[in-house]
C-alpha cells in the first residue's frame, strides 16, 4: 500500500515538474542553494529563474528556514491551483525575459539561457573602460570607411532598449570597412543606451567618465557570412561602432531623424519607420578612434566583435534627452519602469590591448607605448664550432 502511495506521489510530482522542465532553458546544474521570495529552496539561481513568476527574486543564499519552507508550501499550493507558471507579461519564451536589473539582469544572463554562457564565463567581454595611459598607438590603423548610402529601417522599443533595425531588402546596403577591419561588414542594427540622469548612460567609459548616452551600430561580416545570426557565432563576425552622446545646444542634425519619433515608441512593442538616414552624416567629423576585440553587450555576449569607439561625441539636446527618458519598459497598460539605465556593467580587459590611431603623445613630445618602431632583422654570423 505504501509503495503504491509512493508511486502515485512520484507520478503527481512528475506531472507537476515535467512541463516546467520542458519549458525551462536552464540546465539543472547543481550549485549553491538559494531561497526565493516564494520561500522555496532552489538548487541554483538557474532553477530559480526557470520557476520564476512575476516578482520572484532571491531572498538569500542557502536553504530556506523551516518557517520560509512552510510559507513556500502554501505559496506553491496556491500557484498550482491557479495553473502552470508562464513567462512574465505573456512573453513567448524565457529567452526574451532578460533585463538590466534584478534576477534577470546582467549578472544572470548566463543562467537564463545556456547558450549565453559567455555572459558569465567569457574573458573578452564588453563594455570596457578606455584608459589613456594603456592605449597602444598603431600607425598602421587606417581611416574608417562607411558607405554614403542612406538607409531605411524601423525604430522599436523592445522593453530592454531602443533598437534601430535596418531594412535588409534595400537595393543599397551600408558597408563598413577600413580602420582595423580586414573584411567588409554590412550594417544591420543600432542600439541606444542611456541613463535616467546625466551622470549615467553610456556602456563604455573613457578614463572612468560616463556619457549621458551611447549609440552602438552593429554590422556583420558580409564577405564570410550570410547574416548576423550566423556571423555572431563566428570569428571576425561582427563590428560595433560606438558613438558617445553628449548634451549640447546644437544637436547633430542627422540624429534628429531618430529623436523626432521618440514619442511614437513610448511603450514596449511599439515601432515606427525611419527613412533616409545617413549613417556617415551621423558620425562626428574625426578620423580618430580606439579599437579592441570584445563582445556584444547584450545577450548572448558573443566574443566575435571588433569594437571601434569614435574619439568624438555626437550631440543631443536636453529636450531630446528628456523625450528619450520618458520611454517605458512595459505596455501602455503596465508601463513598469523607465527604459533608461540600460547599460551592462563594465567588464575587465583581461590583458587585451586597446589600440588607437591617435598619436597625441608624440605631438606632446611624450614617450608612450607605440607600435611605430625603427626595427629590422639582422643576420648574425658565427663560427662553425661556436656553441649556440
Amino acid at each position: 500500500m505504501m509503495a503504491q502511495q509512493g508511486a502515485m506521489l512520484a507520478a503527481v510530482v512528475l506531472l507537476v515538474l515535467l512541463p516546467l522542465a520542458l519549458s525551462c532553458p536552464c540546465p539543472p546544474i547543481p550549485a549553491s542553494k538559494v531561497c526565493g521570495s516564494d520561500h522555496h529552496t532552489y538548487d541554483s539561481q538557474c532553477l530559480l529563474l526557470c520557476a520564476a513568476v512575476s516578482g520572484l527574486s532571491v531572498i538569500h543564499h542557502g536553504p530556506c528556514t523551516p518557517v520560509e519552507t512552510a510559507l513556500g508550501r502554501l505559496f506553491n499550493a496556491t500557484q498550482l491551483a491557479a495553473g502552470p507558471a508562464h513567462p512574465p507579461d505573456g512573453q513567448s519564451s524565457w529567452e526574451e525575459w532578460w533585463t538590466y536589473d534584478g534576477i534577470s539582469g546582467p549578472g544572470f544572463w548566463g543562467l537564463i539561457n545556456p547558450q549565453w554562457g559567455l555572459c558569465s564565463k567569457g574573458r573578452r567581454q564588453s563594455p570596457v573602460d578606455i584608459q589613456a595611459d594603456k592605449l597602444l598607438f598603431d600607425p598602421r590603423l587606417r581611416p574608417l570607411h562607411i558607405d554614403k548610402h542612406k538607409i531605411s529601417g524601423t525604430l522599436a522599443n523592445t522593453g530592454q532598449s531602443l533598437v534601430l533595425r535596418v531594412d535588409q531588402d534595400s537595393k543599397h546596403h551600408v558597408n563598413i570597412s577600413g580602420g582595423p577591419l580586414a573584411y567588409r561588414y554590412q550594417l544591420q542594427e543600432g542600439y541606444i543606451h542611456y541613463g535616467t540622469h546625466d551622470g549615467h548612460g553610456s556602456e563604455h567609459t573613457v578614463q572612468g567618465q560616463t556619457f549621458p548616452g551611447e549609440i552602438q551600430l552593429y554590422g556583420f561580416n558580409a564577405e564570410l557570412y550570410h547574416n548576423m545570426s550566423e556571423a555572431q557565432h563566428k570569428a571576425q563576425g561582427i563590428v560595433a561602432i560606438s558613438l558617445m552622446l553628449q548634451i549640447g545646444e546644437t544637436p547633430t542634425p542627422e540624429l534628429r531623424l531618430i529623436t523626432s519619433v521618440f514619442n511614437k515608441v513610448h511603450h514596449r512593442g511599439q515601432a515606427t519607420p525611419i527613412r533616409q538616414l545617413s549613417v556617415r552624416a551621423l558620425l562626428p567629423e574625426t578620423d580618430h578612434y580606439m579599437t579592441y576585440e570584445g563582445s556584444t553587450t547584450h545577450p548572448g555576449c558573443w566574443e566575435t566583435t571588433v569594437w571601434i569607439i569614435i574619439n568624438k561625441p555626437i550631440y543631443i539636446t536636453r529636450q531630446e534627452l528628456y523625450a528619450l527618458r520618458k520611454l517605458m519598459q512595459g505596455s501602455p497598460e503596465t508601463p513598469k519602469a523607465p527604459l533608461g539605465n540600460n547599460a551592462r556593467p563594465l567588464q575587465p580587459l583581461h590583458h587585451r590591448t586597446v589600440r588607437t590611431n591617435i598619436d597625441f603623445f608624440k605631438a606632446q613630445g611624450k614617450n608612450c607605448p607605440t607600435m611605430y618602431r625603427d626595427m629590422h632583422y639582422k643576420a648574425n654570423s658565427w663560427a662553425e664550432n661556436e656553441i649556440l
Side-chain angles (χ1 to χ4, degrees):
M1 183 67 178
M2 293 292 291
Q4 291 179 344
Q5 290 179 344
M8 290 176 62
L9 179 61
V12 171
V13 172
L14 183 61
L15 288 173
V16 170
L17 294 182
L18 185 59
L20 176 62
L22 291 176
S23 64
C24 172
C26 305
I29 300 174
S32 59
K33 293 182 180 297
V34 293
C35 182
S37 59
D38 60 351
H39 311 298
H40 180 72
T41 298
Y42 292 87
D43 288 333
S44 68
Q45 296 277 19
C46 185
L47 294 181
L48 172 64
L49 288 169
C50 291
V53 293
S54 182
L56 184 60
S57 59
V58 177
I59 291 180
H60 57 74
H61 288 270
C64 297
T65 65
V67 174
E68 290 170 335
T69 302
L71 291 173
R73 291 195 183 101
L74 178 61
F75 178 90
N76 290 338
T78 304
Q79 290 300 113
L80 288 174
H86 296 282
D89 296 333
Q91 295 175 28
S92 59
S93 74
W94 288 105
E95 293 184 11
E96 297 177 12
W97 186 54
W98 62 273
T99 64
Y100 285 95
D101 56 10
I103 62 168
S104 54
F108 300 97
W109 288 350
L111 299 177
I112 294 175
N113 184 346
Q115 295 182 358
W116 299 347
L118 284 172
C119 298
S120 301
K121 300 176 182 179
R123 297 179 62 84
R124 299 172 66 83
Q125 290 291 295
S126 300
V128 300
D129 179 41
I130 305 298
Q131 300 179 27
D133 59 346
K134 294 183 180 179
L135 290 174
L136 178 64
F137 170 62
D138 186 351
R140 295 169 182 82
L141 287 174
R142 302 165 295 168
L144 184 67
H145 177 77
I146 298 179
D147 286 350
K148 64 181 181 179
H149 305 304
K150 294 185 176 182
I151 62 168
S152 296
T154 302
L155 185 68
N157 181 336
T158 66
Q160 294 107 353
S161 294
L162 204 56
V163 180
L164 173 64
R165 297 188 176 98
V166 180
D167 291 342
Q168 296 303 302
D169 55 358
S170 174
K171 181 183 297 185
H172 299 290
H173 298 293
V174 171
N175 294 311
I176 306 167
S177 58
L181 305 174
Y183 300 94
R184 173 178 52 83
Y185 292 74
Q186 181 178 312
L187 183 66
Q188 173 96 6
E189 57 192 9
Y191 289 75
I192 301 179
H193 300 271
Y194 62 96
T196 54
H197 57 84
D198 295 350
H200 179 73
S202 66
E203 293 199 305
H204 289 88
T205 59
V206 179
Q207 206 69 20
Q209 177 184 348
T210 304
F211 290 80
E214 178 179 353
I215 296 179
Q216 298 171 355
L217 304 174
Y218 284 89
F220 70 91
N221 188 327
E223 292 192 54
L224 299 182
Y225 312 117
H226 296 93
N227 50 49
M228 180 69 79
S229 298
E230 178 188 5
Q232 64 190 7
H233 300 283
K234 304 294 183 63
Q236 301 293 311
I238 303 173
V239 64
I241 300 174
S242 170
L243 304 174
M244 296 300 180
L245 282 174
Q246 187 60 281
I247 300 173
E249 294 183 2
T250 305
T252 300
E254 202 68 16
L255 186 59
R256 287 188 172 182
L257 290 176
I258 299 175
T259 60
S260 63
V261 295
F262 283 161
N263 62 330
K264 297 182 180 180
V265 288
H266 195 263
H267 295 97
R268 181 190 184 104
Q270 294 180 340
T272 187
I274 299 290
R275 303 297 183 199
Q276 298 298 303
L277 174 68
S278 172
V279 177
R280 181 188 286 186
L282 185 63
L283 268 63
E285 293 183 1
T286 181
D287 290 330
H288 291 155
Y289 58 84
M290 291 78 71
T291 181
Y292 74 99
E293 303 287 331
S295 72
T296 59
T297 62
H298 51 269
C301 310
W302 315 115
E303 294 184 342
T304 55
T305 309
V306 179
W307 276 96
I308 301 173
I309 302 171
I310 306 299
N311 191 49
K312 189 177 181 181
I314 60 177
Y315 291 91
I316 185 172
T317 65
R318 287 199 174 274
Q319 292 79 7
E320 292 170 334
L321 193 55
Y322 175 76
L324 182 60
R325 288 170 175 167
K326 289 179 65 177
L327 306 186
M328 305 301 289
Q329 294 180 14
S331 64
E333 296 74 23
T334 54
K336 295 186 178 180
L339 188 65
N341 296 334
N342 56 342
R344 188 189 188 195
L346 292 172
Q347 304 296 305
L349 265 177
H350 287 304
H351 310 292
R352 283 175 289 172
T353 299
V354 181
R355 296 181 294 154
T356 181
N357 62 350
I358 310 169
D359 195 7
F360 52 86
F361 284 101
K362 182 177 179 181
Q364 297 176 6
K366 295 183 180 180
N367 184 21
C368 73
T370 177
M371 294 179 68
Y372 187 76
R373 301 289 191 191
D374 183 15
M375 300 180 66
H376 55 274
Y377 287 99
K378 179 180 179 181
N380 295 321
S381 60
W382 57 84
E384 185 175 347
N385 59 352
E386 186 175 343
I387 298 177
L388 297 179

